[in-house]
Amino acid sequence: MTSQTDLAAAAREHLPADVADTWLSLLRPGIRLTAADDGGGPAAGYLGGEPDLPDDLAWPVWEGHGPLSFIASVDCAALPRVVTEMGLPVDGRLLFFYFDGQYDDGEAMVFASDPESQAGARVVYVPAGRASAQRATPEGIEPYKRIRLASCAVSTTPSYDHPVLHDAFGTGFSQVAEPEHPLRRREFCSAISSGESPLHQLGGYACPVQGDVEYEVAQAALGGSVDWRDSALASEASRWLLLAQFDSDDNANMMWGDVGMLYWLIRPDDLAARRFDRAVFTWQCC
């Protein structure tokens, strides 16, 4: 379920009126990326294959480990107009790279909790008008299968313990303190579940495989020693936005751990200034 109309209907049916009003005010626009028809027409980007890179831009490498694998390219000018509201660029291209273990047979891994490993995940922004050409994949890694992507605007919902829910419903809102809160009841959760897969997305709320990814990134930003119940952690988590997520996808031969998901998060001021090199990566799997 990804339309605001459907989400509103579910909220009105399953939630008390005041809870529904507050929850609906928290919805965020996002852009869902799905496999495009092969019949032609402009695409919003692609998964896998070999990327178009400017001649003077080196293929991203994690020093001491090896080259990163190319994950996806997104043509910002081909995205829905909601990009303006989301703060994403209206033109140029965003490219995503990740050290996926091919080069060293999984010896090195990238974690939000290890700042030095962040060099193993990269977001590259290529401004509009900058000449580029297809770049061959470096030796030692195989490109993923190329899948053309279409895009559509969707409404996204905060996951069960997202920091915006704590802000909206008070510090007592937690799975322990309020396990039977209306937002956590099975009927409501089932009503708003889309069941869609794979879930490739730009912006909006992340779809966590485990706990909310904002807390993982916040824990790392605060030095990794903050108790999960500390209000400072929720405050820091609220400062991060989802930039992109890429799901495991059989069609592209992408599998992140055990049916996992890759996430890049960014602070709003860095997004506005196009400082995509400051995006932080994390991943989750079952």
Side-chain angles (χ1 to χ4, degrees), residues 98-283:
Y98 168 57
F99 192 81
D100 58 5
Q102 285 192 61
Y103 195 79
D104 67 350
D105 199 26
E107 182 176 339
M109 301 184 73
V110 187
F111 294 106
S113 58
D114 180 2
E116 292 187 2
S117 74
Q118 286 293 312
R122 203 80 55 84
V123 182
V124 175
Y125 177 59
V126 179
R130 191 172 177 187
S132 300
Q134 189 173 86
R135 185 77 58 84
T137 301
E139 279 190 52
I141 54 176
E142 292 292 328
Y144 292 100
K145 182 179 177 182
R146 182 165 175 147
I147 303 292
R148 295 174 70 249
L149 293 172
S151 65
C152 65
V154 296
S155 289
T156 68
T157 65
S159 48
Y160 72 95
D161 202 31
H162 194 280
V164 300
L165 297 180
H166 292 262
D167 290 342
F169 294 99
T171 56
F173 182 86
S174 72
Q175 192 172 20
V176 174
E178 296 190 43
E180 295 303 319
H181 192 280
L183 293 178
R184 293 200 176 93
R185 291 174 184 161
R186 181 176 301 176
E187 295 80 7
F188 175 66
C189 292
S190 297
I192 64 171
S193 175
S194 69
E196 297 176 47
S197 181
L199 286 170
H200 308 307
Q201 185 177 299
L202 300 173
Y205 291 105
C207 302
V209 178
Q210 298 179 357
D212 294 272
V213 294
E214 291 85 358
Y215 287 103
E216 293 183 12
V217 171
Q219 183 73 256
L222 294 173
S225 59
V226 180
D227 188 279
W228 290 96
R229 294 164 293 185
D230 192 323
S231 61
L233 186 64
S235 177
E236 178 63 27
S238 68
R239 298 181 62 203
W240 293 89
L241 299 174
L242 178 71
L243 175 61
Q245 67 181 30
F246 294 101
D247 204 349
S248 293
D249 190 328
D250 289 341
N251 291 328
N253 299 325
M254 292 178 173
M255 179 60 67
W256 315 127
D258 185 7
V259 198
M261 189 103 68
L262 309 181
Y263 308 89
W264 278 268
L265 286 84
I266 193 168
R267 285 189 169 120
D269 55 343
D270 289 328
L271 177 60
R274 306 296 182 246
R275 293 188 291 257
F276 294 105
D277 58 314
R278 297 189 183 181
V280 173
F281 172 87
T282 190
W283 69 286

Side-chain angles (χ1 to χ4, degrees), residues 48-137:
E50 296 184 318
D52 288 348
L53 293 175
D55 290 341
D56 60 349
L57 181 64
W59 186 285
V61 171
W62 185 2
E63 293 298 331
H65 297 281
L68 279 56
S69 290
F70 169 65
I71 305 302
S73 175
V74 177
D75 179 0
C76 298
L79 297 174
R81 293 183 179 179
V82 73
V83 294
T84 303
E85 181 181 347
M86 295 165 58
L88 290 170
V90 298
D91 54 22
R93 292 178 295 121
L94 285 169
L95 295 92
F96 299 85
F97 295 82
Y98 168 57
F99 192 81
D100 58 5
Q102 285 192 61
Y103 195 79
D104 67 350
D105 199 26
E107 182 176 339
M109 301 184 73
V110 187
F111 294 106
S113 58
D114 180 2
E116 292 187 2
S117 74
Q118 286 293 312
R122 203 80 55 84
V123 182
V124 175
Y125 177 59
V126 179
R130 191 172 177 187
S132 300
Q134 189 173 86
R135 185 77 58 84
T137 301

